[in-house]
């Protein structure tokens, strides 16, 4: 090694690193790495990321460069490294220099991270000064996005600004060799915030006592509101039926599944069959809720589901609760009443959750902005995210060629927004369904927040929105006085989101967009669409499901029996009679259809599923979106193999009538609903594959892109994907954004980017 110090052997490099590299312990990492490789020089944060000057032996420099990428701190996300030869400056050591220039607005902020192993051991060490401290964190872990109030990411710009560091904390904060060097939320029991358990009969103070009391309450079947990273959870023992039942009742959440936080992987394995990929996803830094196959039915936690949503603890507090004896499987659901956004401000939580929770475990560190838990699963197309929020957002999910900033506002359901700045598409966390006034407020906050983070004003951005003239998101978009507006057809946006994620911008593809509702270019409701095009070429509607009548407008989406009336019009079937037994109030829809009142034309695949579910026995109303289709899928999974019902593809239409006729006949002949449900799925899968193959072949296409909420149906996806692949097609779907409407804003942004000058 000594040879490398010989001046003749010394070389120098100037290196710039881009991506999420600030506030994640990158500079101390560079110092350690340089010292390990006997290199000298300096490193600093600048407007674009991290810049360094490194000198030493050529071999050591090469090794350093490799390690820079492969050994980067867990929180860092490197998007690019630029290396240039430099003049040897003969530094004697390696130092951290003062930051240069204001941190640029475009340096991405890290997402929130789960507590790291080092902090966990320290937290469990009775001799340590952070023993049992629920706000322990370091540069490798802890909150980021949910504590930042503005950029640059510096302590005064976080919700920790009110706490002054004690001397030992400050020493760690200032020491480049410490893992808390510039860890902005650094805290300890002496100088930092604490947790308090609030109950009707008084508060329990002191972290340890508060947490132990909360764990005790949970073990005795109580409901406790627990402050997390991006909001409050409502927690209770997942195995105590009375507790889960009470939670459903008080939260007004009838059927929608609850997520469960398990103490550790061993407990997760006890509850579900986990694949290696499931375990990797569960343990990944995003710590999402992962939908996995349950070993046994969890009738109350996840009614009519074969899967259950599990997640691992991710804050120090979660671990402390389990350490203190909380039940090993806790329902952990968003702290809200049904459909409202998650409560994250303490006063709001007290007001809204007071009537639901028996006690509130409140932490003093404020949450800067709400972030729900993310939901993910391993699907036939690989890792698939269903709700993108805490631990994932905000992050760059795609690069789009646009010199101008673009704000895309998404759709009204499962709303998320996208901002394109410097060609990087940043998707906000999941916001919610905009039909709820509170979610609309949180939409406004998100727009304001995202623009503000990047130093943009409304007048700077091109605004992209859905083609639907009455969507709340559309109306909001039109109120934004931007540089211009772009309306994007819903299913076009779905498919564009896939292409943007895969940077697939050459050649045409066949997009197969299946969902519940989207406003078509002809003013009817689309949702079973075969689109040919790409990001630059307007899509051609090359095929679609056969149109059906949909009586009752929006009501049909909540009442599958109404869909069935519309979809079976012309089948002369008495749906009020056995075996269908539709309720009388549903039968009133017949009059609407006959008179053509409040009846729309639709090609929606989601509504076709609803119709089939009603024909198989789901004759009530749904209490959450997609419920009837999930019920039908669960039913199909329980049947033995059944041949698919027939579908016909002709004149650009995939006709669902033969399929429905066969389903009706089977039911009338007494075939078990489960078998009928299975034959329906099989038939639809084959029909979709045949139609896709016919269209793709006619257009000379080799790639099929799948998007839209219906693809969350695993049973369908697991048949269509291999089917298309076996015919030689490449199949793409969403990975980083949801296939459901949570991905719409990315697609809108991609299309707006392709239209913008300079694209
Ligand atoms: Zn840590
Ligand atoms: Zn301290
Ligand atoms: Fe959609």
């Amino acid at each position: 090694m000594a040879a490398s110090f010989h001046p003749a052997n010394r070389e120098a490099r100037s290196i710039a690193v881009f991506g999420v590299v600030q506030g994640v312990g990158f500079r101390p990492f560079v110092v350690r790495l340089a010292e390990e490789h006997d290199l000298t020089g300096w490193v600093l944060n600048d407007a674009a990321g991290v810049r360094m000057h490194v000198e030493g032996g050529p071999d050591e420099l090469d090794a350093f460069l490799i390690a820079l990428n492969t050994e980067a701190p867990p929180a860092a996300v490197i998007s690019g490294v630029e290396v240039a030869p430099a003049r040897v400056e003969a530094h004697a050591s390696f130092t951290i220099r003062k930051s240069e220039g204001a941190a640029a607005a475009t340096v991405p902020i890290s997402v929130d991270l789960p507590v790291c192993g080092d902090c966990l051991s320290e937290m469990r060490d009775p001799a340590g000064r952070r023993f049992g401290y629920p706000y322990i964190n370091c540069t490798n872990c802890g909150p980021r996005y949910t504590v930042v109030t503005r950029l640059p990411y510096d302590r005064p710009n976080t919700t920790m600004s009110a706490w002054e560091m004690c001397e030992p904390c400050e020493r760690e904060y200032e020491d480049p060799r410490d893992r808390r060097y510039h860890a902005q939320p650094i805290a300890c029991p002496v100088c930092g915030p604490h947790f308090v358990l609030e109950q009707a009969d008084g508060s329990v103070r002191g972290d340890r006592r508060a947490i132990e009391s909360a764990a005790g309450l949970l073990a005795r079947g109580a409901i406790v509101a627990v402050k997390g990273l991006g909001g409050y959870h409502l927690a209770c023992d997942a195995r105590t039926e009375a507790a889960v039942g009470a939670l459903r009742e008080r939260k007004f959440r009838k059927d929608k599944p609850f997520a469960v936080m398990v103490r550790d992987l061993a407990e997760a394995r006890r509850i579900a069959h986990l694949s290696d990929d499931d375990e990797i996803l569960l343990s990944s830094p995003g710590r999402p809720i992962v939908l996995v196959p349950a070993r046994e039915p969890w009738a109350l936690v996840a009614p009519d589901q074969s899967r259950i949503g599990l997640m691992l603890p991710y804050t120090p507090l979660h671990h402390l609760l389990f350490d203190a004896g909380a039940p090993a499987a806790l329902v952990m659901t968003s702290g809200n009443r049904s459909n409202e956004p998650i409560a994250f401000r303490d006063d709001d939580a007290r007001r809204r959750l007071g009537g639901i929770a028996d006690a509130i475990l409140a932490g003093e560190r404020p949450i800067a902005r709400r972030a729900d838990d993310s939901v993910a699963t391993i699907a036939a197309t690989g890792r698939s995210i269903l709700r993108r929020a805490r631990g994932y957002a905000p992050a760059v999910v795609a690069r789009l060629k646009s010199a101008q900033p673009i704000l895309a506002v998404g759709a009204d359901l499962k709303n998320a927004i996208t901002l394109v700045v410097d060609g990087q598409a940043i998707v906000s966390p999941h916001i919610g369904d905009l039909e709820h006034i509170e979610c609309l407020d949180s939409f406004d906050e998100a727009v304001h927040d995202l623009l503000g983070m990047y130093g943009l004003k409304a007048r700077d951005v091109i605004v992209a929105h859905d083609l639907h003239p009455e969507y709340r998101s559309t109306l909001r978009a039109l109120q934004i006085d931007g540089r211009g507006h772009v309306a994007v057809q819903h299913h076009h946006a779905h498919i564009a989101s896939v292409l943007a994620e895969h940077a697939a911008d050459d050649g045409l593809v066949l997009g197969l967009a299946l969902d519940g509702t989207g406003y078509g270019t002809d003013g009817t409701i689309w949702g079973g669409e075969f689109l040919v095009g790409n990001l630059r070429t307007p899509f051609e509607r090359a095929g679609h499901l056969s149109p059906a009548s949909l009586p009752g407008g929006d009501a049909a989406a909540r009442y599958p029996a109404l869909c069935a009336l519309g979809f079976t019009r012309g089948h002369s079937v008495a749906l009020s009679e056995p075996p269908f037994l539709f309720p009388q109030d549903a039968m009133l829809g017949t009059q609407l259809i006959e008179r053509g009142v409040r009846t729309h034309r639709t090609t929606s695949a989601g509504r076709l599923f609803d119709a089939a579910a009603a024909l198989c026995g789901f004759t009530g109303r749904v209490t959450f979106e997609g419920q009837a289709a999930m019920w039908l899928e669960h039913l199909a999974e329980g049947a033995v193999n059944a041949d698919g019902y027939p579908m016909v593809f002709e004149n650009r239409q995939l006709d669902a009538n033969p399929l429905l006729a066969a389903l009706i006949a089977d039911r009338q002949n007494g075939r078990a609903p489960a078998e009928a449900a299975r034959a329906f799925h099989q038939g639809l899968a084959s029909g979709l594959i045949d139609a896709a193959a016919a269209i793709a072949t006619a257009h000379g296409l080799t790639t099929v892109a799948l998007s839209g909420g219906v693809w969350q149906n695993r049973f369908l996806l697991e048949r269509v994907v291999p089917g298309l692949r076996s015919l030689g097609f490449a199949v793409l779907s969403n990975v980083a954004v949801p296939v459901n409407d949570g991905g719409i804003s990315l697609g809108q942004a991609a299309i707006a980017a392709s239209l913008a000058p300079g694209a």
Side-chain angles (χ1 to χ4, degrees), residues 579-702:
F580 306 109
L581 293 173
F582 280 17
Q584 268 316 309
D585 62 342
M587 295 310 294
L588 295 176
T590 315
Q591 295 169 23
L592 295 179
I593 301 172
E594 271 160 17
R595 290 196 230 119
V597 180
R598 285 203 297 132
T599 295
H600 303 272
R601 229 171 98 94
T602 187
T603 54
S604 163
R607 296 296 89 80
L608 174 62
F609 269 92
D610 287 352
L615 294 172
C616 287
F618 192 111
T619 53
R621 287 180 164 78
V622 302
T623 62
F624 64 93
E625 201 220 353
Q627 183 183 359
M630 286 162 80
W631 177 90
L632 191 70
E633 182 189 2
H634 180 60
L635 197 62
E637 285 170 339
V640 290
N641 264 332
D643 287 338
Y645 294 138
M647 287 188 98
V648 178
F649 181 63
E650 230 172 35
N651 300 326
R652 297 178 162 228
Q653 289 195 19
L654 179 57
D655 193 356
N657 284 298
L659 174 127
L660 290 167
L663 170 57
I664 291 166
D666 259 5
R667 292 281 290 127
Q668 285 172 331
N669 292 330
R671 193 171 185 193
E675 283 178 29
R678 192 165 182 118
F680 168 82
H681 276 86
Q682 302 273 31
L684 182 59
S686 305
L688 291 168
I689 294 167
D690 293 347
I695 296 169
T697 308
H699 286 79
L701 310 175
T702 54

Side-chain angles (χ1 to χ4, degrees), residues 348 469 541 711:
D348 185 45
R541 193 186 192 200
W711 294 113

